[in-house]
mmCIF file with all atom_site columns, all heavy atoms in Angstrom:
data_model
loop_
_atom_site.group_PDB
_atom_site.id
_atom_site.type_symbol
_atom_site.label_atom_id
_atom_site.label_alt_id
_atom_site.label_comp_id
_atom_site.label_asym_id
_atom_site.label_entity_id
_atom_site.label_seq_id
_atom_site.pdbx_PDB_ins_code
_atom_site.Cartn_x
_atom_site.Cartn_y
_atom_site.Cartn_z
_atom_site.occupancy
_atom_site.B_iso_or_equiv
_atom_site.pdbx_formal_charge
_atom_site.auth_seq_id
_atom_site.auth_comp_id
_atom_site.auth_asym_id
_atom_site.auth_atom_id
_atom_site.pdbx_PDB_model_num
ATOM 1  N N   . THR A 1 104 ? -9.778  8.721  15.637 1.00 90.00 ? 123 THR A N   1
ATOM 2  C CA  . THR A 1 104 ? -10.447 7.634  14.927 1.00 90.00 ? 123 THR A CA  1
ATOM 3  C C   . THR A 1 104 ? -10.127 7.791  13.448 1.00 90.00 ? 123 THR A C   1
ATOM 4  O O   . THR A 1 104 ? -10.282 8.882  12.894 1.00 90.00 ? 123 THR A O   1
ATOM 5  C CB  . THR A 1 104 ? -11.976 7.694  15.130 1.00 90.00 ? 123 THR A CB  1
ATOM 6  O OG1 . THR A 1 104 ? -12.246 7.643  16.523 1.00 90.00 ? 123 THR A OG1 1
ATOM 7  C CG2 . THR A 1 104 ? -12.657 6.523  14.445 1.00 90.00 ? 123 THR A CG2 1
ATOM 8  N N   . PHE A 1 105 ? -9.660  6.710  12.826 1.00 95.00 ? 124 PHE A N   1
ATOM 9  C CA  . PHE A 1 105 ? -9.350  6.716  11.397 1.00 95.00 ? 124 PHE A CA  1
ATOM 10 C C   . PHE A 1 105 ? -10.513 6.100  10.635 1.00 95.00 ? 124 PHE A C   1
ATOM 11 O O   . PHE A 1 105 ? -11.162 5.173  11.102 1.00 95.00 ? 124 PHE A O   1
ATOM 12 C CB  . PHE A 1 105 ? -8.073  5.915  11.111 1.00 95.00 ? 124 PHE A CB  1
ATOM 13 C CG  . PHE A 1 105 ? -6.849  6.482  11.750 1.00 95.00 ? 124 PHE A CG  1
ATOM 14 C CD1 . PHE A 1 105 ? -6.285  5.880  12.855 1.00 95.00 ? 124 PHE A CD1 1
ATOM 15 C CD2 . PHE A 1 105 ? -6.241  7.616  11.244 1.00 95.00 ? 124 PHE A CD2 1
ATOM 16 C CE1 . PHE A 1 105 ? -5.148  6.385  13.455 1.00 95.00 ? 124 PHE A CE1 1
ATOM 17 C CE2 . PHE A 1 105 ? -5.110  8.145  11.830 1.00 95.00 ? 124 PHE A CE2 1
ATOM 18 C CZ  . PHE A 1 105 ? -4.566  7.524  12.931 1.00 95.00 ? 124 PHE A CZ  1
ATOM 19 N N   . TRP A 1 106 ? -10.724 6.602  9.420  1.00 95.00 ? 125 TRP A N   1
ATOM 20 C CA  . TRP A 1 106 ? -11.784 6.124  8.553  1.00 95.00 ? 125 TRP A CA  1
ATOM 21 C C   . TRP A 1 106 ? -11.243 5.982  7.137  1.00 95.00 ? 125 TRP A C   1
ATOM 22 O O   . TRP A 1 106 ? -10.309 6.672  6.754  1.00 95.00 ? 125 TRP A O   1
ATOM 23 C CB  . TRP A 1 106 ? -12.949 7.118  8.528  1.00 95.00 ? 125 TRP A CB  1
ATOM 24 C CG  . TRP A 1 106 ? -13.578 7.335  9.861  1.00 95.00 ? 125 TRP A CG  1
ATOM 25 C CD1 . TRP A 1 106 ? -13.135 8.163  10.862 1.00 95.00 ? 125 TRP A CD1 1
ATOM 26 C CD2 . TRP A 1 106 ? -14.741 6.706  10.361 1.00 95.00 ? 125 TRP A CD2 1
ATOM 27 N NE1 . TRP A 1 106 ? -13.969 8.084  11.939 1.00 95.00 ? 125 TRP A NE1 1
ATOM 28 C CE2 . TRP A 1 106 ? -14.977 7.191  11.659 1.00 95.00 ? 125 TRP A CE2 1
ATOM 29 C CE3 . TRP A 1 106 ? -15.634 5.775  9.836  1.00 95.00 ? 125 TRP A CE3 1
ATOM 30 C CZ2 . TRP A 1 106 ? -16.042 6.788  12.437 1.00 95.00 ? 125 TRP A CZ2 1
ATOM 31 C CZ3 . TRP A 1 106 ? -16.703 5.374  10.611 1.00 95.00 ? 125 TRP A CZ3 1
ATOM 32 C CH2 . TRP A 1 106 ? -16.899 5.871  11.890 1.00 95.00 ? 125 TRP A CH2 1
ATOM 33 N N   . TRP A 1 107 ? -11.851 5.100  6.365  1.00 96.00 ? 126 TRP A N   1
ATOM 34 C CA  . TRP A 1 107 ? -11.539 4.969  4.938  1.00 96.00 ? 126 TRP A CA  1
ATOM 35 C C   . TRP A 1 107 ? -12.842 4.715  4.198  1.00 96.00 ? 126 TRP A C   1
ATOM 36 O O   . TRP A 1 107 ? -13.840 4.332  4.802  1.00 96.00 ? 126 TRP A O   1
ATOM 37 C CB  . TRP A 1 107 ? -10.517 3.872  4.681  1.00 96.00 ? 126 TRP A CB  1
ATOM 38 C CG  . TRP A 1 107 ? -11.018 2.467  4.929  1.00 96.00 ? 126 TRP A CG  1
ATOM 39 C CD1 . TRP A 1 107 ? -11.155 1.853  6.139  1.00 96.00 ? 126 TRP A CD1 1
ATOM 40 C CD2 . TRP A 1 107 ? -11.439 1.522  3.956  1.00 96.00 ? 126 TRP A CD2 1
ATOM 41 N NE1 . TRP A 1 107 ? -11.638 0.593  5.978  1.00 96.00 ? 126 TRP A NE1 1
ATOM 42 C CE2 . TRP A 1 107 ? -11.817 0.349  4.643  1.00 96.00 ? 126 TRP A CE2 1
ATOM 43 C CE3 . TRP A 1 107 ? -11.535 1.532  2.568  1.00 96.00 ? 126 TRP A CE3 1
ATOM 44 C CZ2 . TRP A 1 107 ? -12.285 -0.791 3.994  1.00 96.00 ? 126 TRP A CZ2 1
ATOM 45 C CZ3 . TRP A 1 107 ? -11.987 0.400  1.921  1.00 96.00 ? 126 TRP A CZ3 1
ATOM 46 C CH2 . TRP A 1 107 ? -12.356 -0.745 2.625  1.00 96.00 ? 126 TRP A CH2 1
ATOM 47 N N   . LEU A 1 118 ? -18.184 4.384  3.844  1.00 92.00 ? 137 LEU A N   1
ATOM 48 C CA  . LEU A 1 118 ? -17.282 4.846  4.891  1.00 92.00 ? 137 LEU A CA  1
ATOM 49 C C   . LEU A 1 118 ? -17.183 3.808  6.005  1.00 92.00 ? 137 LEU A C   1
ATOM 50 O O   . LEU A 1 118 ? -18.191 3.372  6.554  1.00 92.00 ? 137 LEU A O   1
ATOM 51 C CB  . LEU A 1 118 ? -17.775 6.176  5.459  1.00 92.00 ? 137 LEU A CB  1
ATOM 52 C CG  . LEU A 1 118 ? -16.823 6.919  6.388  1.00 92.00 ? 137 LEU A CG  1
ATOM 53 C CD1 . LEU A 1 118 ? -15.564 7.341  5.633  1.00 92.00 ? 137 LEU A CD1 1
ATOM 54 C CD2 . LEU A 1 118 ? -17.521 8.127  6.989  1.00 92.00 ? 137 LEU A CD2 1
ATOM 55 N N   . LEU A 1 119 ? -15.946 3.399  6.316  1.00 94.00 ? 138 LEU A N   1
ATOM 56 C CA  . LEU A 1 119 ? -15.720 2.369  7.336  1.00 94.00 ? 138 LEU A CA  1
ATOM 57 C C   . LEU A 1 119 ? -14.627 2.831  8.305  1.00 94.00 ? 138 LEU A C   1
ATOM 58 O O   . LEU A 1 119 ? -13.668 3.475  7.896  1.00 94.00 ? 138 LEU A O   1
ATOM 59 C CB  . LEU A 1 119 ? -15.283 1.052  6.687  1.00 94.00 ? 138 LEU A CB  1
ATOM 60 C CG  . LEU A 1 119 ? -16.306 0.393  5.764  1.00 94.00 ? 138 LEU A CG  1
ATOM 61 C CD1 . LEU A 1 119 ? -15.661 -0.752 5.001  1.00 94.00 ? 138 LEU A CD1 1
ATOM 62 C CD2 . LEU A 1 119 ? -17.497 -0.099 6.561  1.00 94.00 ? 138 LEU A CD2 1
ATOM 63 N N   . PRO A 1 120 ? -14.746 2.450  9.585  1.00 94.00 ? 139 PRO A N   1
ATOM 64 C CA  . PRO A 1 120 ? -13.709 2.817  10.553 1.00 94.00 ? 139 PRO A CA  1
ATOM 65 C C   . PRO A 1 120 ? -12.505 1.898  10.442 1.00 94.00 ? 139 PRO A C   1
ATOM 66 O O   . PRO A 1 120 ? -12.608 0.756  9.999  1.00 94.00 ? 139 PRO A O   1
ATOM 67 C CB  . PRO A 1 120 ? -14.405 2.627  11.903 1.00 94.00 ? 139 PRO A CB  1
ATOM 68 C CG  . PRO A 1 120 ? -15.406 1.551  11.642 1.00 94.00 ? 139 PRO A CG  1
ATOM 69 C CD  . PRO A 1 120 ? -15.869 1.759  10.220 1.00 94.00 ? 139 PRO A CD  1
ATOM 70 N N   . ILE A 1 121 ? -11.363 2.406  10.847 1.00 95.00 ? 140 ILE A N   1
ATOM 71 C CA  . ILE A 1 121 ? -10.154 1.590  10.984 1.00 95.00 ? 140 ILE A CA  1
ATOM 72 C C   . ILE A 1 121 ? -9.909  1.460  12.482 1.00 95.00 ? 140 ILE A C   1
ATOM 73 O O   . ILE A 1 121 ? -9.488  2.408  13.134 1.00 95.00 ? 140 ILE A O   1
ATOM 74 C CB  . ILE A 1 121 ? -8.940  2.245  10.296 1.00 95.00 ? 140 ILE A CB  1
ATOM 75 C CG1 . ILE A 1 121 ? -9.192  2.421  8.805  1.00 95.00 ? 140 ILE A CG1 1
ATOM 76 C CG2 . ILE A 1 121 ? -7.683  1.402  10.534 1.00 95.00 ? 140 ILE A CG2 1
ATOM 77 C CD1 . ILE A 1 121 ? -8.099  3.191  8.083  1.00 95.00 ? 140 ILE A CD1 1
ATOM 78 N N   . THR A 1 122 ? -10.200 0.284  13.004 1.00 93.00 ? 141 THR A N   1
ATOM 79 C CA  . THR A 1 122 ? -10.035 0.069  14.446 1.00 93.00 ? 141 THR A CA  1
ATOM 80 C C   . THR A 1 122 ? -8.882  -0.862 14.772 1.00 93.00 ? 141 THR A C   1
ATOM 81 O O   . THR A 1 122 ? -8.526  -1.012 15.928 1.00 93.00 ? 141 THR A O   1
ATOM 82 C CB  . THR A 1 122 ? -11.328 -0.500 15.062 1.00 93.00 ? 141 THR A CB  1
ATOM 83 O OG1 . THR A 1 122 ? -11.633 -1.744 14.408 1.00 93.00 ? 141 THR A OG1 1
ATOM 84 C CG2 . THR A 1 122 ? -12.486 0.468  14.881 1.00 93.00 ? 141 THR A CG2 1
ATOM 85 N N   . ASP A 1 126 ? -8.801  -4.206 9.786  1.00 96.00 ? 145 ASP A N   1
ATOM 86 C CA  . ASP A 1 126 ? -9.443  -3.176 8.960  1.00 96.00 ? 145 ASP A CA  1
ATOM 87 C C   . ASP A 1 126 ? -8.476  -2.636 7.912  1.00 96.00 ? 145 ASP A C   1
ATOM 88 O O   . ASP A 1 126 ? -8.878  -2.320 6.792  1.00 96.00 ? 145 ASP A O   1
ATOM 89 C CB  . ASP A 1 126 ? -9.966  -2.034 9.832  1.00 96.00 ? 145 ASP A CB  1
ATOM 90 C CG  . ASP A 1 126 ? -11.076 -2.488 10.763 1.00 96.00 ? 145 ASP A CG  1
ATOM 91 O OD1 . ASP A 1 126 ? -11.876 -3.353 10.364 1.00 96.00 ? 145 ASP A OD1 1
ATOM 92 O OD2 . ASP A 1 126 ? -11.131 -1.983 11.902 1.00 96.00 ? 145 ASP A OD2 1
#
Side-chain angles (χ1 to χ4, degrees):
T123 303
F124 297 106
W125 299 82
W126 69 281
L137 190 64
L138 296 170
I140 299 174
T141 59
D145 295 325

